[in-house]
């Protein structure tokens, strides 16, 4: 699925390949909300139509009703494809760079300076998409902690979308995706190679070895035991309603100790969502 979807304005005069009724839209919206927490407003009607039409074509179905029946019949594989089709996966390396600066200056460098510290780090990238976020965390760690190989460091990277997770795990990026990375980082953390007609960049095994990728739906119980020094939960709760956000941050809060860090996306906030965290910077929180 493309990371960014151009949203054509609704045009009811345009002949549709498949009939798409109000009740089709309502049923599919409700199913995606229940399964992923993603709230699709009325404005997302065309996006739902275009992304799911591809599924109908791939499955050889001739109506949205038949597709709804397939989903409600308990077809687990199609449920995965349905969720994959409706997630938005836009991401980039060092997106919102001030978060990585804060991580380095306020957590990693003080941990290095603390000679009696535990030399143990647990960081969770909770909606990791195609992997740029956890690899950026790993690069920040390698750069800040010279002897990081002797530390006990684990980055857990999870997402609900199995397609993006497979991409993340492969760690192969196009020239376009690494364009924002400075040359020094690119040379140090990636191997350049040719794939077909293009040049691609493969994350070096040493960087990848810091990260464990796993499938995880944030709507479900969180299986990790904690404590987590840092949680990245960026640009995902924007798709959830307030009640879903409240439940998620309550479950995250029990995994963290006072002063542990939580990073949210640029347009997200815990205002009226959680009192367990204090705002310490732009979209940066610490557990109270
Ligand atoms: C816009 S991307 C954000 C990627 C990265 N965190 C960033 O800020 O660049 C949102 C990600 O959230 C994932 N997502 C949406 N609902 C989810 C859920 N219920 N559980 C886990 N991941 C979810 C999507 O699959 C998508 O990859």
């Amino acid at each position: 699925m493309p990371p960014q979807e151009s949203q054509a304005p609704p045009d009811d005069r345009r002949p549709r390949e498949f009939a798409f009724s109000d009740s089709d839209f309502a049923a599919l919206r409700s199913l995606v909300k229940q399964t992923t927490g993603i709230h699709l407003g009325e404005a997302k009607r065309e996006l739902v139509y275009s992304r799911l039409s591809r599924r109908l074509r791939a499955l050889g179905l001739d109506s949205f009703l038949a597709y709804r029946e397939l989903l409600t019949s308990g077809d687990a594989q199609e449920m995965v494809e349905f969720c994959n089709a409706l997630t938005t996966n836009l991401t980039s390396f060092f997106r919102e760079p001030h978060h990585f600066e804060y991580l380095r200056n306020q957590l990693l460098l003080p941990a290095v300076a603390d000679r009696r510290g535990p030399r143990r780090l647990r960081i969770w990238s909770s909606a990791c998409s195609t992997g740029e976020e956890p690899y950026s965390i790993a690069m920040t760690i390698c750069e800040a902690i010279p002897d990081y190989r002797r530390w006990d460091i684990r980055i857990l990277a999870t997402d609900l979308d199995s397609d993006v997770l497979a991409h993340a795990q492969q760690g192969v990026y196009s020239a376009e995706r690494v364009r924002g990375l400075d040359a020094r980082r690119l040379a140090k953390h990636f191997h350049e190679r040719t794939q077909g007609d293009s040049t691609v960049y493969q994350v070096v095994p040493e960087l990848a070895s810091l990260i464990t990728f796993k499938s995880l739906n944030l709507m479900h119980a969180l299986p990790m035991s904690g404590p987590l020094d840092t949680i990245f939960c960026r640009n995902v709760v924007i798709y959830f309603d307030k009640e879903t956000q409240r439940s998620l941050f309550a479950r995250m809060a029990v995994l963290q100790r006072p002063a542990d860090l939580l990073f949210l996306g640029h347009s997200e906030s815990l205002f009226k969502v959680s009192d367990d965290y204090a705002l310490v910077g732009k979209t940066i929180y610490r557990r109270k």
Side-chain angles (χ1 to χ4, degrees):
M1 188 185 54
Q4 218 170 6
E5 187 79 24
S6 66
Q7 291 179 35
D11 181 355
D12 292 336
R13 291 158 304 173
R14 192 170 50 197
R16 285 191 189 278
E17 182 181 358
F18 305 104
F20 189 51
S21 67
D22 287 350
S23 61
D24 290 328
F25 182 48
L28 293 164
R29 261 170 100 177
S30 150
L31 191 58
V32 77
K33 169 83 198 299
Q34 192 190 319
T35 315
T36 68
I38 297 171
H39 170 76
L40 296 168
E42 186 57 38
K44 294 284 165 33
R45 182 184 284 261
E46 285 307 305
L47 178 138
V48 170
Y49 176 81
S50 74
R51 289 189 181 179
L52 293 182
S53 291
R54 291 180 215 148
R55 293 305 312 148
L56 267 68
R57 260 176 247 128
L59 293 161
L61 297 176
D62 62 3
S63 74
F64 272 93
L65 188 59
Y67 186 59
R68 285 164 54 191
E69 281 167 2
L70 180 69
L71 290 171
T72 49
S73 73
D75 186 320
Q77 181 50 40
E78 191 48 37
M79 251 340 262
V80 171
E81 298 292 348
F82 170 70
C83 295
N84 289 357
L86 293 177
T87 54
T88 297
N89 308 115
L90 181 68
T91 188
S92 57
F93 287 105
F94 291 94
R95 181 181 195 184
E96 297 164 51
H98 69 283
H99 287 162
F100 299 93
E101 281 157 29
Y102 193 96
L103 182 73
R104 174 190 156 86
N105 296 333
Q106 305 298 328
L107 179 71
L108 305 180
L109 295 184
V112 171
D114 180 2
R115 291 275 153 221
R116 290 162 180 237
R119 306 200 171 268
R120 178 184 192 274
L121 285 172
R122 293 290 180 268
I123 300 182
W124 179 27
S125 165
S126 67
C128 69
S129 188
T130 38
E132 286 87 336
E133 181 176 278
Y135 289 122
S136 302
I137 297 169
M139 285 186 254
T140 306
I141 289 173
C142 294
E143 291 162 12
I145 308 180
D147 62 342
Y148 71 90
R149 287 183 205 87
R150 295 211 291 272
W151 286 45
D152 172 13
I153 299 177
R154 278 195 229 153
I155 302 166
L156 172 66
T158 63
D159 203 283
L160 157 100
D161 182 331
S162 58
D163 292 338
V164 293
L165 205 56
H167 184 171
Q169 208 145 13
Q170 265 191 330
V172 179
Y173 297 91
S174 65
E176 171 74 23
R177 299 298 279 268
V178 299
R179 184 169 296 153
L181 274 175
D182 72 54
R184 189 181 44 89
R185 279 186 173 138
L186 197 57
K188 181 165 183 218
H189 301 294
F190 294 80
H191 287 315
E192 186 180 313
R193 64 178 161 84
T194 305
Q195 191 171 283
D197 290 341
S198 39
T199 303
V200 294
Y201 296 83
Q202 166 92 56
V203 171
V204 296
E206 187 155 345
L207 192 71
S209 69
L210 293 174
I211 309 172
T212 305
F213 290 99
K214 280 204 158 54
S215 168
L216 180 74
N217 185 342
L218 295 172
M219 295 291 281
H220 298 166
L222 303 178
M224 61 287 275
S225 51
L228 296 166
D229 301 277
T230 300
I231 299 177
F232 281 74
C233 184
R234 308 190 312 160
N235 304 299
V236 58
V237 298
I238 191 171
Y239 303 106
F240 298 168
D241 64 18
K242 291 279 178 214
E243 212 32 64
T244 308
Q245 294 185 21
R246 276 184 202 112
S247 149
L248 175 62
F249 289 113
R251 282 175 289 128
M252 286 184 170
V254 299
L255 298 173
Q256 296 201 285
R257 300 151 300 189
D260 284 339
L261 288 167
L262 170 66
F263 294 102
L264 301 190
H266 57 93
S267 55
E268 297 164 338
S269 134
L270 293 185
F271 181 64
K272 292 193 176 170
V273 168
S274 171
D275 292 327
D276 292 325
Y277 293 88
L279 186 67
V280 294
K282 196 172 144 210
T283 57
I284 305 171
Y285 292 82
R286 281 191 188 266
R287 180 78 168 91
K288 283 183 186 164

